[in-house]
Amino acid sequence: MSFKLNISKLPLTIFLSIILGSLLLGCIEIYITAAAHSRGEYLHLENEYLVVDFPKNWFAYSWKIDNSTSGGLYSLVFSPPELLFLIIFRILDERATQYYMKTFNLTDTSSIVTFETQRVCNWTLTENENATVLLKEKGELVVSGNQALYSKIVIKDGIESDGTFYNLSFTIVSYLENQRLVQIIFWGKKEDCESSLSLFQMILNSTYIKA
């Protein structure tokens, strides 16, 4: 299966996930750590940033960025072998959170999820002028004991695979704790996202973000 993407125009969250996520070291580290805590059909990952369970047959990789100006960022990506979607965790330290919010003139969690959702809309409509937004939804949920906001959109013909356009589903969950930003992104082919919604919810329920 091929997945056509214009890297130069990708939103920041997706660009980082695909480019930096290819680092083999992060993948090896996850499986060495998680394999020691296997729970049936799931692996249990615990590191200095988070605790989370995920299916054994999913691909997982992570990386860390630490910059004296823009701060520190930990990213973790899950991807199933046969379906077209990604689940992305992004945990920013205090300095990175301040830099991100100042750079994009954001003030709170609501402005963050609105900004990231609109950025994906803009990118998708740029890639395919015939794409159409079918659904916009916002709400609240609890992640790691914190009240989080989420924003979801569905875009008709928003994603291309093997020369065929499919509907795109994009959901971002976000909250601020101790001046640190946590983002969890679930995006990909709409039908694949919908068929795996229970797994996404299981991952959210198992997630604990460390202070």
Side-chain angles (χ1 to χ4, degrees):
M1 176 183 288
S2 65
F3 186 13
K4 182 180 178 182
L5 292 173
N6 187 332
I7 296 297
S8 65
K9 297 181 180 179
L10 281 177
L12 178 60
T13 53
I14 303 172
F15 177 81
L16 289 173
S17 302
I18 295 172
I19 298 300
L20 300 177
S22 63
L23 296 176
L24 181 60
L25 182 60
C27 179
I28 294 174
E29 179 183 357
I30 286 176
Y31 281 96
I32 290 176
T33 303
H37 303 281
S38 178
R39 296 181 175 180
E41 297 183 359
Y42 301 97
L43 292 177
H44 180 74
L45 173 65
E46 180 171 358
N47 58 30
E48 63 182 294
Y49 300 98
L50 82 173
V51 178
V52 65
D53 296 338
F54 64 97
K56 283 183 176 179
N57 66 329
W58 283 20
F59 185 57
Y61 45 91
S62 68
W63 64 93
K64 294 178 287 187
I65 298 174
D66 195 3
N67 185 283
S68 59
T69 301
S70 58
L73 165 68
Y74 172 79
S75 297
L76 169 66
V77 174
F78 297 125
S79 177
E82 301 296 334
L83 301 176
L84 188 59
F85 69 80
L86 298 175
I87 296 175
I88 307 165
F89 285 75
R90 302 178 73 235
I91 303 172
L92 286 69
D93 66 13
E94 182 177 347
R95 190 168 73 252
T97 299
Q98 292 174 349
Y99 183 85
Y100 168 81
M101 296 184 72
K102 182 177 180 180
T103 299
F104 298 109
N105 195 29
L106 306 173
T107 57
D108 54 18
T109 306
S110 179
S111 65
I112 290 170
V113 297
T114 298
F115 167 73
E116 292 292 354
T117 301
Q118 189 60 51
R119 182 149 63 164
V120 170
C121 282
N122 293 342
W123 164 72
T124 304
L125 297 174
T126 299
E127 291 299 296
N128 178 18
E129 61 182 12
N130 294 319
T132 305
V133 177
L134 300 178
L135 171 70
K136 287 186 177 182
E137 175 183 308
K138 283 187 176 181
E140 298 182 359
L141 49 79
V142 176
V143 178
S144 188
N146 293 276
Q147 196 70 27
L149 296 181
Y150 76 86
S151 176
K152 177 181 178 179
I153 55 171
V154 174
I155 301 178
K156 180 181 179 181
D157 295 336
I159 191 170
E160 182 183 356
S161 178
D162 293 333
T164 301
F165 281 100
Y166 299 95
N167 293 345
L168 168 71
S169 176
F170 173 87
T171 301
I172 180 168
V173 180
S174 185
Y175 68 89
L176 289 162
E177 181 187 22
N178 297 326
Q179 301 184 57
R180 298 187 314 152
L181 174 62
V182 176
Q183 294 179 325
I184 305 171
I185 297 163
F186 180 36
W187 81 282
K189 183 179 174 183
K190 175 178 177 289
E191 292 76 11
D192 290 349
C193 289
E194 290 181 343
S195 68
S196 302
L197 183 58
S198 62
L199 283 174
F200 177 58
Q201 292 172 335
M202 182 279 298
I203 289 172
L204 286 181
N205 291 338
S206 74
T207 297
Y208 173 69
I209 306 297
K210 296 185 177 181

